[in-house]
Amino acid sequence: DYIVNQSQDNLWASGFHFGDWLFYRPDDDNDGRAAITDKYYITQCFFANSTQLVINAAKVLGHEADVKKYQALLKDIKKAFQNEFVTNSGRVGPNTQTAYVLALQFDMLPESQREQAVDRLVDNIKRYGYHLTTGFLGTPYLCHVLSRFGREDMAYELLMQDTYPSWLYPVTMGATTIWERWDGIKPDGSFQTPGMNSYNHYAYGAIGEWMYQNISGINADPLAPGYKRIKIKPILGGGLTEASGSLETYYGTIKSAWKYEGKYLKQQITVPVNTRAEVYLLSEGYTQIKESNKPIETQTSIEFLSSEAGYSKVLLGSGSYDFSIPIQENLASNRLNEIIGDYTAFTGFGSDFSVINEGEKLYIVLKENKEELIPRGEDTYVFASNPEYIFEIQRSRAQSIRSVRVEIGEMRYNAAKD
């Protein structure tokens, strides 16, 4: 209600605010790369978030009149936001990563505009060389938003980036704690201003929440507070070959771990006493999974719920479980599928092309010519008609395809997947 009184027509554009504190801003910004997000844009997003929290509390407390009152207010807040900050073409606010992240995190946009906003966010990340540019207010939600809208690949790209600005850049500079600034120590070895340069500061450590909820997959069920019921859904990626996480709750310790071992993916789960867990096992092939080296179908304590894209969902009671999942064929198929698609040339004097498959064979389609690609190592292929012609995949630290290099005689160029 205080914010309502500070607003005009439900637009909060007054008062002092720190804004997206310590966002990316290069020392010499002649080309306008600083990722400045309007402070009143930010206040409007958090005005909506605060109102949503009041609605949530009113629902739990059974205050139906307040629910209706603040739902009506929230609708007006979002309408004011859209009138002030969203263009007819779908551009949102100052077009920064923080702008798109907050708009998507707090549902400030109608559903018809959200997909486009995600695409603009991803394009922005790419324009900064797969780096984040967010400050204290955008960073906590950045990877959550990407995962929510199906771009876990980009979330992993940001997590695994190790050049400034990124989470791993301080590690390359010797950090063992979270810094207040992305560049507390600059790439040239000099220090940021000593007036404000903490080397033990939480804000950017907010990525830890995303890591627990997505890499190890540990999540609470909002309908069963306090981890009375648990959801465990790990998302693999980033070139990681193993991960584990644990969380102490009032019922005991939740554990979730996964690891590649030869031709198998091992998934280990611990569910505390007096709780139940909805667990996503990392394979749609439910009958191929074993638990403690026994076929999962013979385990009466495990209830199969459904198959979803890439997962078998089961319900587990308390106890420790050791799942074994054959993955060799799935990995081969996934590696093939990630190469298939259309590519756009961006350096050299080459042309755009496509990569297609026919069965287990790969073909590159250059204009009207189709050539089979023969593997020569993990990420290198040669043309079947001429083994001196090369198609080489160049991966990021997160192991996703960043670009490909093509050599056809004198024609040598790089291309990126559309």
Side-chain angles (χ1 to χ4, degrees):
D1 290 344
Y2 169 82
I3 301 174
V4 172
N5 292 332
Q6 300 300 310
S7 304
Q8 184 174 353
D9 297 325
N10 292 312
L11 189 68
W12 188 18
S14 63
F16 170 79
H17 305 275
F18 283 101
D20 194 32
W21 191 247
L22 296 180
F23 56 87
Y24 172 67
R25 43 187 170 186
D27 290 334
D28 183 357
D29 194 28
N30 290 333
D31 58 353
R33 301 287 285 169
I36 303 170
T37 306
D38 187 305
K39 292 182 179 181
Y40 294 140
Y41 174 102
I42 294 172
T43 62
Q44 192 70 7
C45 290
F46 279 93
F47 184 10
N49 182 48
S50 296
T51 305
Q52 183 64 65
L53 293 175
V54 172
I55 294 169
N56 296 346
K59 287 180 178 179
V60 171
L61 296 170
H63 295 179
E64 292 301 323
D66 283 338
V67 171
K68 293 180 180 179
K69 171 185 175 181
Y70 290 105
Q71 281 180 336
L73 174 61
L74 182 60
K75 184 177 180 180
D76 290 341
I77 292 168
K78 292 183 179 180
K79 183 177 180 180
F81 171 86
Q82 292 161 15
N83 290 339
E84 184 75 9
F85 296 111
V86 183
T87 69
N88 291 333
S89 64
R91 179 186 170 107
V92 176
N95 209 41
T96 61
Q97 291 175 27
T98 289
Y100 287 107
V101 165
L102 295 183
L104 291 164
Q105 174 69 21
F106 300 141
D107 296 328
M108 304 300 290
L109 303 172
E111 289 192 17
S112 61
Q113 292 183 325
R114 293 176 190 176
E115 184 177 350
Q116 182 187 95
V118 174
D119 290 341
R120 288 174 179 261
L121 170 61
V122 170
D123 287 343
N124 185 289
I125 293 169
K126 290 180 178 178
R127 285 200 304 273
Y128 281 91
Y130 294 85
H131 290 85
L132 48 73
T133 62
T134 49
F136 279 21
L137 298 185
T139 298
Y141 308 111
L142 175 56
C143 286
H144 284 296
V145 163
L146 289 168
S147 292
R148 174 186 171 188
F149 291 96
R151 294 309 306 262
E152 291 92 352
D153 60 327
M154 191 58 65
Y156 267 115
E157 283 284 348
L158 293 176
L159 178 67
M160 302 302 290
Q161 179 63 260
D162 62 359
T163 56
Y164 167 74
S166 67
W167 284 289
L168 291 183
Y169 164 73
V171 178
T172 69
M173 302 298 286
T176 57
T177 53
I178 299 295
W179 294 352
E180 181 178 14
R181 295 177 180 267
W182 290 122
D183 61 343
I185 301 176
K186 299 179 182 181
D188 64 5
S190 62
F191 293 87
Q192 269 285 3
T193 171
M196 191 194 71
N197 194 23
S198 168
Y199 290 102
N200 191 6
H201 216 82
Y202 169 71
Y204 294 142
I207 186 60
E209 181 184 45
W210 181 87
M211 294 171 71
Y212 271 93
Q213 293 183 348
N214 292 271
I215 300 178
S216 58
I218 300 173
N219 292 270
D221 185 336
L223 300 179
Y227 294 94
K228 176 64 175 176
R229 186 176 173 113
I230 309 151
K231 176 182 175 182
I232 297 178
K233 186 178 182 180
I235 299 171
L236 279 57
L240 300 178
T241 57
E242 63 178 291
S244 64
S246 63
L247 178 67
E248 295 289 341
T249 75
Y250 283 111
Y251 298 99
T253 303
I254 303 169
K255 292 183 179 179
S256 173
W258 54 266
K259 182 179 183 180
Y260 288 110
E261 288 188 1
K263 297 181 180 180
Y264 293 90
L265 176 61
K266 299 295 182 71
Q267 191 172 355
Q268 297 175 322
I269 306 292
T270 297
V271 182
V273 296
N274 296 320
T275 67
R276 305 188 84 186
E278 188 177 86
V279 176
Y280 288 72
L281 300 177
L282 294 159
S283 172
E284 285 184 81
Y286 180 71
T287 58
Q288 298 177 347
I289 301 172
K290 291 185 177 182
E291 196 284 314
S292 298
N293 293 321
K294 299 177 182 177
I296 194 169
E297 293 176 301
T298 66
Q299 309 288 58
T300 57
S301 61
I302 300 173
E303 180 183 348
F304 175 72
L305 298 177
S306 64
S307 291
E308 298 186 13
Y311 296 95
S312 292
K313 185 165 66 172
V314 299
L315 187 63
L316 304 180
S318 60
S320 294
Y321 302 84
D322 189 353
F323 297 99
S324 180
I325 304 164
I327 47 86
Q328 187 177 31
E329 292 183 6
N330 290 340
L331 284 180
S333 176
N334 289 341
R335 213 160 184 83
L336 185 70
N337 290 336
E338 70 173 347
I339 300 172
I340 296 168
D342 298 324
Y343 290 79
T344 300
F346 64 87
T347 61
F349 296 97
S351 60
D352 298 345
F353 60 88
S354 298
V355 175
I356 64 173
N357 72 305
E358 294 177 5
E360 291 297 311
K361 293 184 177 181
L362 278 180
Y363 295 87
I364 183 171
V365 181
L366 286 151
K367 296 182 179 179
E368 297 180 358
N369 297 319
K370 184 174 78 171
E371 293 277 354
E372 183 181 353
L373 295 174
I374 307 298
R376 288 288 186 271
E378 186 174 357
D379 277 333
T380 301
Y381 296 79
V382 297
F383 286 49
S385 62
N386 189 336
E388 293 185 0
Y389 291 176
I390 296 172
F391 178 93
E392 182 181 61
I393 297 168
Q394 298 171 331
R395 295 186 180 273
S396 69
R397 183 186 177 95
Q399 293 301 303
S400 62
I401 297 177
R402 184 65 61 81
S403 63
V404 298
R405 182 173 65 89
V406 181
E407 291 189 14
I408 306 175
E410 296 295 321
M411 186 169 65
R412 302 182 179 188
Y413 63 102
N414 290 75
K417 194 173 180 181
D418 295 346

